Amino acid sequence: MTSDTQFPVPVTARPSGPLSGAARVPGDKSISHRALIFGGVAVGTTTVSGLLEGEDVLRTAAAMRQFGANVERGENGVWRITGCGVGALREPDEVLDMGNSGTAARLLMGLVASAPFTTFFMGDASLHKRPMGRVRVPLEEMGAKIISRSGGRFPLAITGQSLIPIDYELPVASAQVKSAILLAALDTPGITRVREGKRTRDHTENMLRHFGAEITVTENADGGRSIAYRGQQELTAADIIVPGDPSSAAFLAVAATILPGSDVTLSNIGLNPLRDGLFITLREMGANIEILNLREQAGERVGDLRIRASTLHGIEVPPERAPSMIDEYPVLFIAAAFAKGRTTMRGLHELRVKESDRLSAMAAGLKACGVAFEELEDGLIIDADGTPPKGGGVIETHLDHRIAMSFLILGLATQTPVTIDDGRVMETSFPGFVEMINALGATVTRGRGA
Ligand code: S3P
């Protein structure tokens, strides 16, 4: 499945037998973006193995080259990045096209906020709808000059300035916003502080430490965190091994859980405690997921997952768990459609501003496939009786990779096939998804199903 065609590529998942065997999912998307960005501003040469070579991350690689970093892929798949040093970015010659990637867009907005030139950003139709005001507000408070479409949306231009540090409380639980501020702080004198009421993924903090910077993280009694960074520290190149993406593993884990008789092992999966909410939730629903070889690798927790099929039951998912599994709700909705009983998932406002409005996109697809649910402003309640849903829908994916893959997983276990309108977007985060799941025993093919 490649995206080198101008036209939509429908893809169909057919009811399949058990999945079995071992697989290695592509590298973590969040860590891959950050490896390129921090490698690109560190002094020296960073090697990165296991980098996700999906379209989103390649946008960040291209941008870092535009800023003057030397970014090369070796024949062995190991990437070498020679950084230009904090405060020494070069003015890009081109408009930076961030494609479908909110992470590339928001993190790089932070990075250029202190650079003494103007950077122009654009993206695809999905990215142009996404809220950027959440990044614009703190960056402007630090002194950056930003011109954008209404609501802070893309395309936009940032003229970097000598910034002043801020003490900023995140109004939404967003690791992208937190990271944008920390990236703006890299070349800002004094101490920049970000406070988060709910903990979000901490790959930026981990990577700053990995590159030799000092960063102070204080845990608050109410469950939040305060992160303080003194700007203008030098970052030193440090090699990185990117673990498999738990958000990609999620699709295979749900498939192996709902397809009777399955037994699948996924090796080298990132299990950062701020990312593992889906696996905890599936286990609470009755899934059989074993974690093996838990270890630490380049500042991140990593392990292997063995998933065996099991019957699921509905639960109430604690809303406060949402940040640790925010990208996994679409496929959790699929798991819930096979569970016996009611699964309630709330606290999910943020799903409305992802690559698509994931609550309404999932609701439309679930309806087309005969799943009973109630859509709430901030979540979904799914009622199921433990028998496979009807299936048969043709699903609109709205340029959203996670909607695409979620419905292909559904179609492996429904009574009739499920077709998605366009599979190309899966390349953003999971190149080789179709080939990998088929190698485990699934039947997913190009074209519309009969
Ligand atoms: C990401 C943070 C999350 C997540 C996204 C990747 C990151 O977004 O949904 O896929 O790498 O920081 P938010 O910061 O908007 O929650």
Side-chain angles (χ1 to χ4, degrees):
M1 180 66 45
T2 60
S3 61
D4 54 2
T5 146
Q6 285 175 263
F7 302 107
V9 178
V11 180
T12 298
R14 293 189 162 68
S16 300
L19 300 189
S20 64
R24 219 180 154 98
V25 301
D28 187 276
K29 183 155 72 68
S30 295
I31 295 176
S32 296
H33 284 294
R34 287 160 174 82
L36 289 163
I37 295 173
F38 286 111
V41 293
V43 172
T45 299
T46 291
T47 65
V48 185
S49 45
L51 188 89
L52 169 63
E53 295 176 348
E55 283 174 4
D56 276 15
V57 172
L58 297 180
R59 301 279 177 183
T60 294
M64 293 314 296
R65 285 192 190 105
Q66 286 276 317
F67 293 133
N70 193 325
V71 181
E72 283 169 10
R73 180 187 194 276
E75 302 242 308
N76 52 0
V78 175
W79 288 65
R80 288 172 64 82
I81 307 152
T82 305
C84 46
V86 169
L89 298 183
R90 196 180 70 192
E91 179 179 7
D93 298 326
E94 316 272 350
V95 175
L96 300 186
D97 186 352
M98 301 289 92
N100 192 250
S101 180
T103 309
R106 295 192 175 120
L107 267 54
L108 292 174
M109 284 173 67
L111 183 70
V112 300
S114 62
F117 49 73
T118 300
T119 309
F120 295 87
F121 289 98
M122 61 172 285
D124 71 3
S126 152
L127 193 54
H128 285 198
K129 286 189 204 146
R130 300 185 67 183
M132 295 296 164
R134 53 182 58 194
V135 180
R136 179 176 179 160
V137 168
L139 295 182
E140 284 183 334
E141 204 173 309
M142 294 178 85
K145 301 272 181 267
I146 303 179
I147 296 178
S148 71
R149 289 198 308 138
S150 58
R153 287 168 307 145
F154 265 34
L156 60 70
I158 303 188
T159 303
Q161 307 288 326
S162 296
L163 302 179
I164 50 164
I166 55 170
D167 183 331
Y168 194 76
E169 177 139 7
L170 294 180
V172 280
S174 166
Q176 292 176 353
V177 178
K178 170 176 67 177
S179 302
I181 298 168
L182 291 172
L183 283 160
L186 283 184
D187 192 27
T188 299
I191 294 184
T192 297
R193 198 180 298 275
V194 188
R195 300 170 195 272
E196 53 182 15
K198 290 184 190 145
R199 292 174 194 177
T200 65
R201 65 189 71 193
D202 56 0
H203 307 301
T204 297
E205 297 90 307
N206 295 344
M207 210 169 279
L208 277 165
R209 262 186 228 108
H210 190 62
F211 279 84
E214 211 179 292
I215 177 163
T216 310
V217 178
T218 316
E219 313 273 342
N220 305 329
D222 61 3
R225 273 183 180 165
S226 153
I227 300 126
Y229 188 76
R230 183 175 43 78
Q232 300 183 326
Q233 300 180 53
E234 190 168 281
L235 303 182
T236 311
D239 294 344
I240 294 172
I241 305 169
V242 181
D245 197 327
S247 301
S248 297
F251 297 105
L252 302 179
V254 169
T257 298
I258 62 177
L259 284 170
S262 296
D263 186 351
V264 168
T265 300
L266 305 174
S267 55
N268 199 42
I269 303 301
L271 293 173
N272 180 312
L274 296 165
R275 295 284 301 282
D276 64 356
L278 175 81
F279 305 121
I280 294 172
T281 303
L282 287 175
R283 277 171 151 182
E284 285 175 3
M285 294 172 76
N288 183 344
I289 302 179
E290 241 182 295
I291 298 176
L292 310 162
N293 301 322
L294 203 59
R295 56 201 184 271
E296 170 129 350
Q297 194 175 277
E300 292 286 346
R301 196 168 74 154
V302 175
D304 305 333
L305 299 180
R306 181 171 180 197
I307 307 117
R308 279 169 279 190
S310 51
T311 50
L312 298 177
H313 55 85
I315 62 165
E316 198 155 318
V317 182
E320 59 277 10
R321 195 179 287 162
S324 71
M325 52 183 294
I326 194 67
D327 292 335
E328 285 69 79
Y329 279 94
V331 78
L332 177 61
F333 298 160
I334 301 302
F338 290 86
K340 200 171 168 75
R342 167 169 289 196
T343 306
T344 305
M345 295 153 284
R346 303 200 68 149
L348 309 180
H349 285 112
E350 278 297 297
L351 286 195
R352 297 213 177 267
V353 291
K354 294 294 179 186
E355 285 82 331
S356 68
D357 174 343
R358 287 184 172 158
L359 284 175
S360 79
M362 287 302 298
L366 291 172
K367 190 169 173 200
C369 293
V371 177
F373 64 88
E374 185 190 342
E375 182 182 350
L376 311 168
E377 187 41 42
D378 72 333
L380 222 55
I381 299 174
I382 295 186
D383 283 304
D385 62 5
T387 59
K390 172 173 71 57
V394 176
I395 310 300
E396 269 188 78
T397 50
H398 301 279
L399 287 177
D400 190 329
H401 52 132
R402 302 210 193 276
I403 302 297
M405 291 184 275
S406 296
F407 280 102
L408 291 178
I409 299 301
L410 178 74
L412 299 178
T414 40
Q415 297 165 34
T416 52
V418 172
T419 298
I420 57 167
D421 62 354
D422 191 2
R424 292 174 301 168
V425 73
M426 294 188 283
E427 292 294 311
T428 60
S429 68
F430 201 152
F433 169 75
V434 169
E435 293 77 3
M436 187 176 287
I437 198 152
N438 282 346
L440 293 170
T443 308
V444 179
T445 52
R446 270 183 183 233
R448 287 174 187 271

